[in-house]
Amino acid sequence: MAQPIKPPTVSALPFKAQPVRKRSKVPALSIAYPSACGIDIGATSHFVAVPGERDDEPVREFLSFTADLERLVQWLRECRITAVAMQSTGVYWIALFEMLDAAGFEVHLVNARHVRSVPGRKSDVLDCQWLQQLMSYGLLRGGVRPAEEVCALRAVWRQRDMLLSYQARHVQHLQKAMTQMNVQLHHVISDIMGVTGQAIIRAIVAGVRDGATLARLRDRRIKAEEGEIAAALQGNWRDEHLFALKQALALIDTYTAQITECDGKLQQLLGALKGHELPAAGLGPPKRGTPAKNSVRFDARTSLFEASGVDLTRIPGIDTSTALKVISEIGVDLTRFPSVKHFMSRLGLCPGTKISGGKVLCSATKPCANRAAQALRLAAQALRKSQTALGAHHRRMCSRMDKPKAITASAHKLARLVYFMLTKGQAFVEAGQDEYEERYRQRVVQNLTRRAHQLGFQLTPQETSSA
């Protein structure tokens, strides 16, 4: 009779004792801001929480009117508050933030993502108390807000961007009216708002209907012949479509005047940021002779150099509009960021850090609607055909990963260049595509040589023929 097989005992199993790691002592939480308060921002009212021993009613509600905000500031002074933590809720926090900052409080504008997990039932009272508790222990980190001059520059630049988007919609309305009249001008010229397009459209609004007469208004740089343009301008001139065309053109002219006014204000605000002198040799010729479409109507390159001390437009892919947008969003003083990694995290251009149990759960960039990062991503797309070192780097990234990730990687590299230029004050020096390819070849050969040595082989270079 077969004997039953006994399972192995624990002592019979092969086991190697692992050394016990001594846990480092975690310091207990200490009060970092004893005079801190938390404010839950709302559209109509704000809830404020102060330490319980500072007032008999430590949580109060204040309306969002100016008089109530002044009473809020006075109450915080009576409670001897020095640090304030608030969430960035829409645009409702701006008025209170400016009043508290002007009153001398240390205001921390925290990210709502960091304080969204409130224990218990969520309410406005619990939110402000949770903010006050986290702030008192120093567990909240405030966002970086530029100086007042940069904030004013940013507001005007965003206003200009908004006007450009509104103007683009009316350009579409203009083209729709022309299509309804079967005037196919956009099929023979590339830009109906260029020199030729505007001349023809204004002549149509003025009452000219003859295609041959309108075709004579073409610019000499237009590739289409006059006969082709005249054939495209034969349409049915209905009154309702001409009326819509006239109104769309009037609105475009109105927005053009407003954009010109914004350009004057931007030039004035950039002049207030002047802190550097131009070099004796000047800035040199620009990268492109003609200014880009929708660019500002003043010498923004010189104004940006006088404000920052460096010429960001020397970086491939970054033109005057991109440099102006980046400066208006982040400012010229980047010393508030401890390192370049903190700056990359602020822009949302660094990989994610979701790691649990030694396993990377997600390495995608965090969702972030940073306008400076969006501008750098657009600049990175322009590197696809650039015969520079950055262009070669972008094409190599596109060969290794999908296009959106390659654009983010190139934007990350552009942001690092911007950071080091603004912090160290050094000019950008273009290495060249050939030098980049040679350094990349040297790295590949070095890695192959090390790998071959580990496997017991030796690489022997081959001589290539001159043919």
Side-chain angles (χ1 to χ4, degrees):
M1 185 175 180
Q3 298 294 331
I5 301 176
K6 296 182 179 180
T9 60
V10 176
S11 59
L13 292 175
F15 176 77
K16 183 178 180 181
Q18 298 293 334
V20 179
R21 296 181 180 179
K22 294 183 179 180
R23 294 184 178 181
S24 58
K25 294 183 178 180
V26 180
L29 290 177
S30 60
I31 300 296
Y33 295 93
S35 301
C37 80
I39 303 179
D40 182 72
I41 302 295
T44 58
S45 63
H46 310 313
F47 286 83
V48 187
V50 298
E53 67 275 5
R54 299 297 175 93
D55 193 85
D56 296 335
E57 189 180 354
V59 179
R60 295 188 182 184
E61 180 184 8
F62 294 88
L63 297 179
S64 58
F65 300 126
T66 303
D68 296 276
L69 297 184
E70 292 176 352
R71 290 194 301 107
L72 188 155
V73 174
Q74 182 62 29
W75 182 59
L76 293 182
R77 287 176 175 171
E78 294 175 358
C79 295
R80 305 182 306 278
I81 298 298
T82 58
V84 180
M86 64 171 63
Q87 296 180 5
S88 56
T89 306
V91 295
Y92 307 125
W93 59 271
I94 296 179
L96 181 57
F97 182 94
E98 293 175 350
M99 292 183 65
L100 292 173
D101 187 59
F105 291 94
E106 182 183 351
V107 188
H108 294 259
L109 186 66
V110 300
N111 192 343
R113 188 184 293 113
H114 299 165
V115 292
R116 62 183 177 182
S117 300
V118 182
R121 183 176 179 273
K122 180 175 173 56
S123 64
D124 296 332
V125 175
L126 290 178
D127 283 347
C128 63
Q129 290 178 331
W130 183 241
L131 283 171
Q132 188 272 331
Q133 183 178 0
L134 293 178
M135 187 63 196
S136 62
Y137 287 108
L139 298 177
L140 296 180
R141 184 180 301 173
V144 177
R145 180 175 168 86
E148 292 297 329
E149 297 81 3
V150 180
C151 289
L153 180 68
R154 180 177 61 185
V156 176
W157 179 259
R158 291 182 179 180
Q159 173 73 10
R160 187 180 187 274
D161 271 351
M162 183 185 65
L163 294 176
L164 282 173
S165 63
Y166 291 166
Q167 187 186 48
R169 295 184 62 183
H170 292 296
V171 172
Q172 294 175 344
H173 297 161
L174 183 144
Q175 184 173 341
K176 178 183 177 181
M178 297 183 66
T179 303
Q180 290 176 335
M181 292 185 295
N182 201 29
V183 178
Q184 306 293 336
L185 181 62
H186 59 283
H187 287 164
V188 294
I189 64 176
S190 59
D191 185 13
I192 62 173
M193 295 309 297
V195 177
T196 300
Q198 287 202 39
I200 293 177
I201 292 173
R202 295 184 188 280
I204 292 175
V205 173
V208 181
R209 301 291 182 267
D210 183 54
T213 305
L214 294 173
R216 296 191 191 100
L217 299 175
R218 65 181 287 273
D219 190 83
R220 58 182 178 82
R221 295 170 293 180
I222 295 294
K223 297 181 179 179
E225 301 294 337
E226 287 189 12
E228 186 179 358
I229 296 178
L233 292 174
Q234 299 296 329
N236 51 346
W237 311 101
R238 296 178 62 91
D239 292 338
E240 63 271 20
H241 301 323
L242 288 171
F243 179 76
L245 179 69
K246 178 181 177 181
Q247 286 207 330
L249 183 61
L251 289 172
I252 291 173
D253 293 339
T254 301
Y255 281 115
T256 301
Q258 297 295 322
I259 292 171
T260 303
E261 186 177 354
C262 285
D263 291 344
K265 186 65 175 178
L266 287 173
Q267 187 176 10
Q268 176 185 352
L269 294 174
L270 281 174
L273 292 175
K274 182 179 179 180
H276 302 270
E277 296 294 336
L278 289 174
L283 298 180
K287 290 187 296 186
R288 55 184 300 172
T290 58
K293 187 180 179 181
N294 296 330
S295 61
V296 293
R297 298 294 183 263
F298 63 93
D299 188 9
R301 184 185 174 207
T302 302
S303 300
L304 288 172
F305 183 89
E306 293 175 346
S308 61
V310 291
D311 187 8
L312 296 180
T313 60
R314 287 300 177 187
I315 303 177
I318 297 182
D319 56 358
T320 304
S321 298
T322 304
L324 184 54
K325 188 169 187 177
V326 171
I327 291 297
S328 65
E329 291 293 332
I330 64 176
V332 295
D333 183 18
L334 301 185
T335 57
R336 295 164 297 176
F337 297 97
S339 65
V340 65
K341 295 182 179 180
H342 292 79
F343 180 63
M344 294 296 106
S345 178
R346 175 67 173 83
L347 296 182
L349 295 176
C350 61
T353 56
K354 288 187 177 181
I355 303 175
S356 178
K359 179 181 178 181
V360 179
L361 301 179
C362 180
S363 61
T365 57
K366 63 181 180 181
C368 181
N370 192 283
R371 297 173 187 253
Q374 294 175 1
L376 292 175
R377 282 190 172 94
L378 291 176
Q381 296 183 26
L383 298 173
R384 185 170 60 90
K385 296 183 179 180
S386 177
Q387 301 300 318
T388 58
L390 288 174
H393 170 269
H394 179 66
R395 288 187 290 273
R396 187 166 68 87
M397 291 293 104
C398 290
S399 65
R400 293 177 50 189
M401 57 189 70
D402 56 351
K403 193 172 182 180
K405 293 182 180 179
I407 291 175
T408 301
S410 299
H412 178 96
K413 198 172 186 66
L414 291 175
R416 292 178 68 92
L417 292 174
V418 171
Y419 176 84
F420 288 118
M421 288 181 66
L422 291 177
T423 53
K424 300 183 181 300
Q426 298 177 353
F428 175 78
V429 179
E430 173 57 39
Q433 179 181 358
D434 296 336
E435 183 176 349
Y436 175 83
E437 296 292 350
E438 179 61 26
R439 286 188 298 176
Y440 175 67
R441 177 183 175 277
Q442 292 176 1
R443 290 198 303 268
V444 172
V445 172
Q446 183 180 0
N447 293 334
L448 290 176
T449 304
R450 183 176 64 252
R451 184 61 175 168
H453 180 71
Q454 292 175 354
L455 298 176
F457 294 93
Q458 182 178 3
L459 295 182
T460 304
Q462 294 182 355
E463 297 182 0
T464 58
S465 60
S466 59

